[in-house]
Amino acid sequence: MEETYLLNVEGVKKKILHGGQGELPKLQDGSKFTFHFQTLKDDFERTVIDDSREAGMPMEIIVGKMFKLEIWETLLSSMRIGEVAEFWCDAIHTGMYALVSRGMRRIAEGRDPLEGQKHRCGMGNMFDYHSTGYDDLDELQRTPQPLIFIMELFRVRGWQRWLPEREQLGQATQLLLLAQVEDPSAYKRDTWAMSKEEKLAAVPVLHSEGNRLVLRREFAQAAAKYQEAVICLRNLQAKEKPWEDGWLKLESLVTPLVLNYCQCQLELGEYYEVLEHTTELLQKHNDNAKAYFKRAKAHAAVWNEREAREDFQRVAHLDPSMAAAVKKELKQLGERMRKKHVEDRKRYQGLFQSSQGL
């Protein structure tokens, strides 16, 4: 079951990834949610910020105890036992996440979550201290932004039904619990729940599916496949040291996927999306002729003539085998720009004559 809809809360969207069982829990003060969560940035790579599975322990919230991140109680209240859901939350709900995450990370490290804090409200502590001690959380604290929370609710105490913690179950039982309302054989693990080996195995499959969709000219669907493959690889890269062998091997897999994604966006007319991702790619790999070629085409499409010509010239310099394609693109660019200049002159002349007649 997969369904996307808005919660009756401003700035929140919910997507059910796997359905739960029974009715919504009837909650009261003192009820306790036990769940796993993953927090991601709302960016192309869906960068992982926190993962309770990585920390090795589930999260617990007691209803009515003024948890700093109030929106989580609202999100969990919309879930059934065994449900896995993805929530997009606007920045109006995520401003306190850096402090909440700081405390959770300290607990996972065996440290006092309140170490160094004054006995003041969370917002007061945020202003008193310039750093959380974690670079990524400092960034969130400086620039609050929308976040994505993927939550799996597996127990609610203080209500008549709960599921045992998944860590105590065998793998087959875990899969059945996640697929309660579906045919278990149809269960498809989402990227966020995959192991390292599963992510590596998924990448060539997603790449192949994307290529198949491109041949059918289903570019939006193909782009989604390429993006999912990139997310798998970026999640694995986050555990490697940048520019060392493991990181570079994964980067070599990322680059063609990003280029394929950009080609789909060119076909869909999403030129600024192409400019963003090719520029980011070229900051790491400034000798990639294909990235320059796609960026040049995007510049040309949005009338950035100088930038387009510079990128096309770089392509011809880096890869002489593409010289013929560059020559063709430059000819088309020149024709389009001349036509635009003629149309602009006519338009300006018409405006001038109209103003003279007033």
Side-chain angles (χ1 to χ4, degrees):
M1 181 172 72
E2 190 164 317
E3 179 181 2
T4 304
Y5 58 91
L6 285 172
L7 284 174
N8 189 27
V9 180
E10 182 183 359
V12 176
K13 298 177 184 178
K14 177 180 179 182
K15 177 190 289 185
I16 295 176
L17 302 180
H18 298 288
Q21 58 179 325
E23 301 176 355
L24 290 174
K26 297 175 177 61
L27 302 173
Q28 56 188 3
D29 284 358
S31 296
K32 182 167 69 175
F33 294 108
T34 304
F35 60 99
H36 271 303
F37 76 93
Q38 191 177 55
T39 304
L40 309 96
K41 287 186 177 181
D42 184 21
D43 58 11
F44 171 71
E45 279 120 354
R46 289 165 62 98
T47 305
V48 177
I49 300 172
D50 288 308
D51 188 333
S52 61
R53 292 175 181 80
E54 291 282 334
M57 62 181 182
M59 182 71 181
E60 294 184 339
I61 290 180
I62 298 176
V63 176
K65 294 299 183 182
M66 299 295 290
F67 182 62
K68 287 179 182 176
L69 201 63
E70 296 179 12
I71 193 63
W72 272 17
E73 188 173 312
T74 302
L75 305 183
L76 291 162
S77 297
S78 76
M79 298 177 68
R80 292 172 168 80
I81 303 296
E83 181 178 319
V84 182
E86 175 179 309
F87 299 91
W88 177 91
C89 294
D90 199 358
I92 58 174
H93 299 297
T94 64
M96 295 297 294
Y97 183 77
L99 288 181
V100 171
S101 176
R102 174 183 183 271
M104 291 187 294
R105 291 184 186 186
R106 283 177 170 269
I107 291 171
E109 294 165 2
R111 300 164 63 189
D112 180 358
L114 301 179
E115 178 185 329
Q117 286 193 17
K118 299 178 181 178
H119 294 290
R120 296 178 58 186
C121 68
M123 191 61 72
N125 278 307
M126 182 182 290
F127 287 114
D128 276 338
Y129 295 95
H130 297 294
S131 175
T132 62
Y134 303 93
D135 291 343
D136 57 338
L137 299 184
D138 287 346
E139 178 193 347
L140 292 180
Q141 188 165 278
R142 285 191 298 268
T143 56
Q145 57 194 266
L147 294 174
I148 297 168
F149 302 112
I150 299 177
M151 295 179 162
E152 177 188 356
L153 179 62
F154 54 86
R155 183 166 60 198
V156 180
R157 291 203 182 276
W159 190 58
Q160 64 270 29
R161 300 181 65 181
W162 67 83
L163 293 179
E165 295 182 11
R166 289 183 63 210
E167 286 78 0
Q168 299 173 359
L169 303 175
Q171 185 178 21
T173 307
Q174 291 178 22
L175 297 184
L176 287 171
L177 288 173
L178 281 173
Q180 290 286 342
V181 298
E182 301 179 86
D183 175 0
S185 65
Y187 174 72
K188 176 181 178 296
R189 301 199 76 184
D190 292 277
T191 301
W192 67 273
M194 290 180 179
S195 67
K196 176 181 178 179
E197 292 73 20
E198 288 170 328
K199 286 174 183 173
L200 284 173
V203 169
V205 176
L206 291 166
H207 198 157
S208 178
E209 289 177 355
N211 293 346
R212 177 177 55 81
L213 289 164
V214 165
L215 292 174
R216 291 164 51 180
R217 301 192 65 77
E218 296 178 16
F219 297 113
Q221 296 88 334
K225 296 294 183 183
Y226 295 137
Q227 182 180 15
E228 188 176 352
V230 171
I231 290 168
C232 286
L233 294 169
R234 290 298 192 206
N235 286 347
L236 294 173
Q237 263 191 321
K239 297 176 175 61
E240 302 285 345
K241 288 187 178 181
W243 302 106
E244 292 196 355
D245 287 346
W247 189 94
L248 288 170
K249 287 178 182 178
L250 293 168
E251 185 69 13
S252 69
L253 299 175
V254 168
T255 300
L257 288 164
V258 173
L259 291 173
N260 287 359
Y261 173 85
C262 288
Q263 183 60 43
C264 290
Q265 298 304 320
L266 281 174
E267 298 287 351
L268 294 167
E270 298 290 345
Y271 303 118
Y272 290 102
E273 180 90 353
V274 176
L275 291 175
E276 177 185 350
H277 294 299
T278 51
T279 298
E280 182 179 338
L281 186 62
L282 287 165
Q283 287 171 349
K284 297 177 182 175
H285 311 287
N286 61 6
D287 59 348
N288 191 301
K290 290 181 179 179
Y292 279 117
F293 189 78
K294 295 182 193 305
R295 190 171 73 171
K297 287 177 70 70
H299 275 308
V302 296
W303 307 105
N304 296 337
E305 182 181 11
R306 179 179 60 81
E307 292 87 347
R309 289 187 180 279
E310 288 177 355
D311 278 353
F312 279 132
Q313 288 165 3
R314 287 193 187 98
V315 173
H317 173 73
L318 289 167
D319 188 352
S321 69
M322 298 181 71
V326 167
K327 184 178 180 179
K328 178 181 177 182
E329 292 289 342
L330 286 171
K331 181 179 178 181
Q332 292 177 350
L333 175 61
E335 291 172 351
R336 289 181 68 241
M337 296 307 300
R338 282 191 291 274
K339 183 177 179 181
K340 182 177 185 294
H341 293 325
V342 170
E343 292 174 350
D344 287 346
R345 279 199 300 271
K346 289 180 179 178
R347 187 179 303 112
Y348 294 144
Q349 287 173 357
L351 290 172
F352 178 74
Q353 291 169 358
S354 297
S355 63
Q356 290 288 88
L358 294 177

mmCIF file of all heavy atoms in Angstrom, residues 70-105:
data_model
loop_
_atom_site.group_PDB
_atom_site.id
_atom_site.type_symbol
_atom_site.label_atom_id
_atom_site.label_comp_id
_atom_site.label_asym_id
_atom_site.label_seq_id
_atom_site.Cartn_x
_atom_site.Cartn_y
_atom_site.Cartn_z
ATOM 1 N N GLU A 70 7.647 18.954 19.102
ATOM 2 C CA GLU A 70 6.236 18.644 19.298
ATOM 3 C C GLU A 70 5.607 17.929 18.113
ATOM 4 O O GLU A 70 4.705 17.109 18.281
ATOM 5 C CB GLU A 70 5.462 19.931 19.603
ATOM 6 C CG GLU A 70 5.871 20.607 20.906
ATOM 7 C CD GLU A 70 5.105 21.891 21.154
ATOM 8 O OE1 GLU A 70 4.110 22.141 20.437
ATOM 9 O OE2 GLU A 70 5.495 22.650 22.050
ATOM 10 N N ILE A 71 6.086 18.241 16.900
ATOM 11 C CA ILE A 71 5.451 17.676 15.713
ATOM 12 C C ILE A 71 5.556 16.162 15.688
ATOM 13 O O ILE A 71 4.703 15.477 15.120
ATOM 14 C CB ILE A 71 6.062 18.294 14.428
ATOM 15 C CG1 ILE A 71 5.189 17.962 13.201
ATOM 16 C CG2 ILE A 71 7.502 17.814 14.233
ATOM 17 C CD1 ILE A 71 3.813 18.526 13.254
ATOM 18 N N TRP A 72 6.581 15.581 16.339
ATOM 19 C CA TRP A 72 6.722 14.125 16.314
ATOM 20 C C TRP A 72 5.533 13.444 16.977
ATOM 21 O O TRP A 72 5.090 12.394 16.510
ATOM 22 C CB TRP A 72 8.030 13.712 17.005
ATOM 23 C CG TRP A 72 9.191 13.684 16.059
ATOM 24 C CD1 TRP A 72 9.257 14.265 14.820
ATOM 25 C CD2 TRP A 72 10.447 13.046 16.263
ATOM 26 N NE1 TRP A 72 10.476 14.034 14.247
ATOM 27 C CE2 TRP A 72 11.228 13.291 15.100
ATOM 28 C CE3 TRP A 72 10.999 12.308 17.297
ATOM 29 C CZ2 TRP A 72 12.522 12.812 14.955
ATOM 30 C CZ3 TRP A 72 12.302 11.827 17.162
ATOM 31 C CH2 TRP A 72 13.051 12.066 15.998
ATOM 32 N N GLU A 73 5.022 13.997 18.055
ATOM 33 C CA GLU A 73 3.860 13.396 18.707
ATOM 34 C C GLU A 73 2.665 13.392 17.753
ATOM 35 O O GLU A 73 1.912 12.423 17.673
ATOM 36 C CB GLU A 73 3.524 14.162 19.982
ATOM 37 C CG GLU A 73 2.461 13.492 20.836
ATOM 38 C CD GLU A 73 2.272 14.180 22.176
ATOM 39 O OE1 GLU A 73 3.289 14.460 22.848
ATOM 40 O OE2 GLU A 73 1.104 14.434 22.539
ATOM 41 N N THR A 74 2.520 14.473 16.989
ATOM 42 C CA THR A 74 1.439 14.565 16.003
ATOM 43 C C THR A 74 1.613 13.519 14.906
ATOM 44 O O THR A 74 0.664 12.842 14.507
ATOM 45 C CB THR A 74 1.404 15.970 15.377
ATOM 46 O OG1 THR A 74 1.220 16.937 16.414
ATOM 47 C CG2 THR A 74 0.276 16.096 14.364
ATOM 48 N N LEU A 75 2.834 13.379 14.417
ATOM 49 C CA LEU A 75 3.103 12.414 13.342
ATOM 50 C C LEU A 75 2.807 10.993 13.804
ATOM 51 O O LEU A 75 2.122 10.225 13.112
ATOM 52 C CB LEU A 75 4.563 12.514 12.887
ATOM 53 C CG LEU A 75 5.082 13.889 12.443
ATOM 54 C CD1 LEU A 75 6.524 13.768 11.961
ATOM 55 C CD2 LEU A 75 4.193 14.497 11.372
ATOM 56 N N LEU A 76 3.313 10.636 14.963
ATOM 57 C CA LEU A 76 3.132 9.275 15.479
ATOM 58 C C LEU A 76 1.666 8.980 15.780
ATOM 59 O O LEU A 76 1.217 7.834 15.639
ATOM 60 C CB LEU A 76 3.984 9.078 16.730
ATOM 61 C CG LEU A 76 5.501 9.048 16.477
ATOM 62 C CD1 LEU A 76 6.261 9.293 17.766
ATOM 63 C CD2 LEU A 76 5.921 7.718 15.856
ATOM 64 N N SER A 77 0.931 10.007 16.177
ATOM 65 C CA SER A 77 -0.495 9.818 16.482
ATOM 66 C C SER A 77 -1.305 9.464 15.244
ATOM 67 O O SER A 77 -2.432 8.989 15.356
ATOM 68 C CB SER A 77 -1.066 11.084 17.128
ATOM 69 O OG SER A 77 -0.429 11.353 18.358
ATOM 70 N N SER A 78 -0.725 9.722 14.058
ATOM 71 C CA SER A 78 -1.439 9.403 12.808
ATOM 72 C C SER A 78 -1.114 8.009 12.299
ATOM 73 O O SER A 78 -1.596 7.606 11.244
ATOM 74 C CB SER A 78 -1.058 10.423 11.730
ATOM 75 O OG SER A 78 0.242 10.164 11.215
ATOM 76 N N MET A 79 -0.289 7.248 13.040
ATOM 77 C CA MET A 79 0.196 5.962 12.553
ATOM 78 C C MET A 79 -0.435 4.782 13.280
ATOM 79 O O MET A 79 -0.776 4.875 14.466
ATOM 80 C CB MET A 79 1.724 5.891 12.729
ATOM 81 C CG MET A 79 2.484 6.942 11.946
ATOM 82 S SD MET A 79 4.278 6.869 12.260
ATOM 83 C CE MET A 79 4.690 5.285 11.499
ATOM 84 N N ARG A 80 -0.575 3.683 12.563
ATOM 85 C CA ARG A 80 -1.040 2.424 13.143
ATOM 86 C C ARG A 80 0.161 1.566 13.537
ATOM 87 O O ARG A 80 1.268 1.781 13.056
ATOM 88 C CB ARG A 80 -1.926 1.672 12.146
ATOM 89 C CG ARG A 80 -3.263 2.372 11.890
ATOM 90 C CD ARG A 80 -4.032 1.717 10.759
ATOM 91 N NE ARG A 80 -5.402 2.206 10.710
ATOM 92 C CZ ARG A 80 -5.768 3.366 10.164
ATOM 93 N NH1 ARG A 80 -4.839 4.147 9.607
ATOM 94 N NH2 ARG A 80 -7.022 3.750 10.171
ATOM 95 N N ILE A 81 -0.080 0.603 14.390
ATOM 96 C CA ILE A 81 0.990 -0.300 14.809
ATOM 97 C C ILE A 81 1.538 -1.047 13.591
ATOM 98 O O ILE A 81 0.776 -1.595 12.789
ATOM 99 C CB ILE A 81 0.479 -1.314 15.852
ATOM 100 C CG1 ILE A 81 -0.120 -0.586 17.056
ATOM 101 C CG2 ILE A 81 1.608 -2.243 16.283
ATOM 102 C CD1 ILE A 81 0.880 0.236 17.819
ATOM 103 N N GLY A 82 2.879 -1.061 13.443
ATOM 104 C CA GLY A 82 3.510 -1.743 12.320
ATOM 105 C C GLY A 82 3.628 -0.892 11.081
ATOM 106 O O GLY A 82 4.206 -1.334 10.088
ATOM 107 N N GLU A 83 3.116 0.315 11.128
ATOM 108 C CA GLU A 83 3.151 1.185 9.952
ATOM 109 C C GLU A 83 4.533 1.809 9.782
ATOM 110 O O GLU A 83 5.225 2.121 10.749
ATOM 111 C CB GLU A 83 2.106 2.287 10.106
ATOM 112 C CG GLU A 83 2.021 3.266 8.943
ATOM 113 C CD GLU A 83 0.923 4.312 9.137
ATOM 114 O OE1 GLU A 83 -0.178 3.942 9.610
ATOM 115 O OE2 GLU A 83 1.185 5.486 8.836
ATOM 116 N N VAL A 84 4.942 1.984 8.523
ATOM 117 C CA VAL A 84 6.134 2.747 8.176
ATOM 118 C C VAL A 84 5.667 3.908 7.307
ATOM 119 O O VAL A 84 4.988 3.699 6.306
ATOM 120 C CB VAL A 84 7.160 1.899 7.398
ATOM 121 C CG1 VAL A 84 8.411 2.726 7.104
ATOM 122 C CG2 VAL A 84 7.525 0.645 8.181
ATOM 123 N N ALA A 85 6.001 5.126 7.716
ATOM 124 C CA ALA A 85 5.519 6.304 6.996
ATOM 125 C C ALA A 85 6.633 7.324 6.843
ATOM 126 O O ALA A 85 7.548 7.409 7.658
ATOM 127 C CB ALA A 85 4.334 6.931 7.730
ATOM 128 N N GLU A 86 6.520 8.096 5.770
ATOM 129 C CA GLU A 86 7.471 9.177 5.500
ATOM 130 C C GLU A 86 6.732 10.500 5.644
ATOM 131 O O GLU A 86 5.663 10.700 5.068
ATOM 132 C CB GLU A 86 8.031 9.043 4.087
ATOM 133 C CG GLU A 86 8.942 10.189 3.666
ATOM 134 C CD GLU A 86 9.496 9.988 2.266
ATOM 135 O OE1 GLU A 86 10.039 8.893 2.002
ATOM 136 O OE2 GLU A 86 9.383 10.927 1.439
ATOM 137 N N PHE A 87 7.302 11.415 6.418
ATOM 138 C CA PHE A 87 6.696 12.716 6.655
ATOM 139 C C PHE A 87 7.634 13.817 6.172
ATOM 140 O O PHE A 87 8.819 13.841 6.539
ATOM 141 C CB PHE A 87 6.431 12.934 8.147
ATOM 142 C CG PHE A 87 5.490 11.939 8.767
ATOM 143 C CD1 PHE A 87 5.978 10.777 9.349
ATOM 144 C CD2 PHE A 87 4.123 12.154 8.778
ATOM 145 C CE1 PHE A 87 5.126 9.854 9.939
ATOM 146 C CE2 PHE A 87 3.258 11.237 9.355
ATOM 147 C CZ PHE A 87 3.761 10.086 9.937
ATOM 148 N N TRP A 88 7.108 14.714 5.365
ATOM 149 C CA TRP A 88 7.826 15.937 5.008
ATOM 150 C C TRP A 88 7.312 17.034 5.914
ATOM 151 O O TRP A 88 6.100 17.268 5.996
ATOM 152 C CB TRP A 88 7.580 16.301 3.553
ATOM 153 C CG TRP A 88 8.244 17.595 3.139
ATOM 154 C CD1 TRP A 88 9.489 17.742 2.618
ATOM 155 C CD2 TRP A 88 7.691 18.921 3.230
ATOM 156 N NE1 TRP A 88 9.757 19.072 2.374
ATOM 157 C CE2 TRP A 88 8.680 19.811 2.739
ATOM 158 C CE3 TRP A 88 6.472 19.433 3.670
ATOM 159 C CZ2 TRP A 88 8.466 21.201 2.683
ATOM 160 C CZ3 TRP A 88 6.263 20.809 3.629
ATOM 161 C CH2 TRP A 88 7.251 21.684 3.135
ATOM 162 N N CYS A 89 8.220 17.697 6.625
ATOM 163 C CA CYS A 89 7.831 18.740 7.575
ATOM 164 C C CYS A 89 8.539 20.042 7.222
ATOM 165 O O CYS A 89 9.762 20.077 7.076
ATOM 166 C CB CYS A 89 8.190 18.342 9.005
ATOM 167 S SG CYS A 89 7.251 16.927 9.618
ATOM 168 N N ASP A 90 7.748 21.098 7.102
ATOM 169 C CA ASP A 90 8.290 22.409 6.785
ATOM 170 C C ASP A 90 9.158 22.920 7.942
ATOM 171 O O ASP A 90 9.086 22.418 9.070
ATOM 172 C CB ASP A 90 7.143 23.382 6.520
ATOM 173 C CG ASP A 90 7.592 24.608 5.744
ATOM 174 O OD1 ASP A 90 8.791 24.730 5.446
ATOM 175 O OD2 ASP A 90 6.732 25.457 5.437
ATOM 176 N N ALA A 91 9.963 23.949 7.654
ATOM 177 C CA ALA A 91 10.887 24.484 8.651
ATOM 178 C C ALA A 91 10.189 25.010 9.897
ATOM 179 O O ALA A 91 10.804 25.102 10.959
ATOM 180 C CB ALA A 91 11.744 25.587 8.020
ATOM 181 N N ILE A 92 8.890 25.353 9.786
ATOM 182 C CA ILE A 92 8.164 25.855 10.965
ATOM 183 C C ILE A 92 8.077 24.791 12.054
ATOM 184 O O ILE A 92 7.853 25.109 13.219
ATOM 185 C CB ILE A 92 6.736 26.330 10.595
ATOM 186 C CG1 ILE A 92 5.934 25.186 9.959
ATOM 187 C CG2 ILE A 92 6.785 27.535 9.682
ATOM 188 C CD1 ILE A 92 4.472 25.546 9.693
ATOM 189 N N HIS A 93 8.280 23.516 11.681
ATOM 190 C CA HIS A 93 8.185 22.414 12.652
ATOM 191 C C HIS A 93 9.545 21.848 13.055
ATOM 192 O O HIS A 93 9.602 21.012 13.964
ATOM 193 C CB HIS A 93 7.346 21.274 12.072
ATOM 194 C CG HIS A 93 5.944 21.654 11.738
ATOM 195 N ND1 HIS A 93 5.038 22.067 12.690
ATOM 196 C CD2 HIS A 93 5.287 21.685 10.540
ATOM 197 C CE1 HIS A 93 3.874 22.333 12.098
ATOM 198 N NE2 HIS A 93 4.004 22.116 10.803
ATOM 199 N N THR A 94 10.615 22.253 12.375
ATOM 200 C CA THR A 94 11.893 21.546 12.557
ATOM 201 C C THR A 94 12.978 22.380 13.239
ATOM 202 O O THR A 94 14.109 21.927 13.357
ATOM 203 C CB THR A 94 12.439 21.067 11.193
ATOM 204 O OG1 THR A 94 12.725 22.217 10.366
ATOM 205 C CG2 THR A 94 11.433 20.178 10.484
ATOM 206 N N GLY A 95 12.636 23.584 13.679
ATOM 207 C CA GLY A 95 13.642 24.473 14.248
ATOM 208 C C GLY A 95 14.369 23.912 15.455
ATOM 209 O O GLY A 95 15.525 24.260 15.711
ATOM 210 N N MET A 96 13.719 23.025 16.225
ATOM 211 C CA MET A 96 14.335 22.466 17.426
ATOM 212 C C MET A 96 15.049 21.145 17.174
ATOM 213 O O MET A 96 15.601 20.553 18.097
ATOM 214 C CB MET A 96 13.261 22.253 18.506
ATOM 215 C CG MET A 96 12.618 23.541 19.002
ATOM 216 S SD MET A 96 13.807 24.612 19.813
ATOM 217 C CE MET A 96 14.219 23.628 21.242
ATOM 218 N N TYR A 97 15.059 20.693 15.901
ATOM 219 C CA TYR A 97 15.598 19.351 15.655
ATOM 220 C C TYR A 97 17.068 19.243 16.047
ATOM 221 O O TYR A 97 17.496 18.202 16.569
ATOM 222 C CB TYR A 97 15.421 18.929 14.195
ATOM 223 C CG TYR A 97 15.928 17.527 13.996
ATOM 224 C CD1 TYR A 97 15.159 16.443 14.423
ATOM 225 C CD2 TYR A 97 17.200 17.268 13.492
ATOM 226 C CE1 TYR A 97 15.632 15.141 14.319
ATOM 227 C CE2 TYR A 97 17.676 15.974 13.391
ATOM 228 C CZ TYR A 97 16.892 14.920 13.808
ATOM 229 O OH TYR A 97 17.373 13.637 13.729
ATOM 230 N N ALA A 98 17.859 20.290 15.796
ATOM 231 C CA ALA A 98 19.284 20.208 16.106
ATOM 232 C C ALA A 98 19.521 19.887 17.576
ATOM 233 O O ALA A 98 20.374 19.058 17.920
ATOM 234 C CB ALA A 98 19.975 21.517 15.725
ATOM 235 N N LEU A 99 18.749 20.516 18.469
ATOM 236 C CA LEU A 99 18.920 20.266 19.904
ATOM 237 C C LEU A 99 18.448 18.869 20.287
ATOM 238 O O LEU A 99 19.074 18.193 21.109
ATOM 239 C CB LEU A 99 18.156 21.311 20.710
ATOM 240 C CG LEU A 99 18.754 22.724 20.720
ATOM 241 C CD1 LEU A 99 17.904 23.659 21.569
ATOM 242 C CD2 LEU A 99 20.185 22.704 21.238
ATOM 243 N N VAL A 100 17.340 18.430 19.693
ATOM 244 C CA VAL A 100 16.842 17.084 19.979
ATOM 245 C C VAL A 100 17.858 16.048 19.517
ATOM 246 O O VAL A 100 18.190 15.102 20.243
ATOM 247 C CB VAL A 100 15.479 16.860 19.282
ATOM 248 C CG1 VAL A 100 15.052 15.396 19.389
ATOM 249 C CG2 VAL A 100 14.415 17.755 19.896
ATOM 250 N N SER A 101 18.384 16.228 18.309
ATOM 251 C CA SER A 101 19.363 15.290 17.775
ATOM 252 C C SER A 101 20.630 15.275 18.624
ATOM 253 O O SER A 101 21.206 14.206 18.875
ATOM 254 C CB SER A 101 19.705 15.666 16.333
ATOM 255 O OG SER A 101 20.707 14.828 15.820
ATOM 256 N N ARG A 102 21.058 16.444 19.068
ATOM 257 C CA ARG A 102 22.258 16.524 19.908
ATOM 258 C C ARG A 102 22.101 15.646 21.151
ATOM 259 O O ARG A 102 22.994 14.874 21.519
ATOM 260 C CB ARG A 102 22.498 17.969 20.322
ATOM 261 C CG ARG A 102 23.642 18.179 21.320
ATOM 262 C CD ARG A 102 23.706 19.668 21.687
ATOM 263 N NE ARG A 102 24.812 19.954 22.589
ATOM 264 C CZ ARG A 102 24.742 19.905 23.908
ATOM 265 N NH1 ARG A 102 23.598 19.536 24.499
ATOM 266 N NH2 ARG A 102 25.782 20.211 24.661
ATOM 267 N N GLY A 103 20.935 15.746 21.796
ATOM 268 C CA GLY A 103 20.698 14.940 22.989
ATOM 269 C C GLY A 103 20.687 13.462 22.689
ATOM 270 O O GLY A 103 21.286 12.659 23.426
ATOM 271 N N MET A 104 20.046 13.065 21.588
ATOM 272 C CA MET A 104 19.976 11.648 21.229
ATOM 273 C C MET A 104 21.359 11.095 20.901
ATOM 274 O O MET A 104 21.695 9.964 21.260
ATOM 275 C CB MET A 104 19.018 11.461 20.049
ATOM 276 C CG MET A 104 17.561 11.727 20.405
ATOM 277 S SD MET A 104 16.402 11.317 19.074
ATOM 278 C CE MET A 104 16.852 12.522 17.821
ATOM 279 N N ARG A 105 22.163 11.888 20.199
ATOM 280 C CA ARG A 105 23.508 11.430 19.855
ATOM 281 C C ARG A 105 24.368 11.261 21.108
ATOM 282 O O ARG A 105 25.149 10.310 21.209
ATOM 283 C CB ARG A 105 24.164 12.425 18.894
ATOM 284 C CG ARG A 105 23.537 12.448 17.512
ATOM 285 C CD ARG A 105 24.291 13.376 16.589
ATOM 286 N NE ARG A 105 23.616 13.528 15.303
ATOM 287 C CZ ARG A 105 24.113 14.194 14.266
ATOM 288 N NH1 ARG A 105 25.313 14.760 14.369
ATOM 289 N NH2 ARG A 105 23.438 14.294 13.133
#
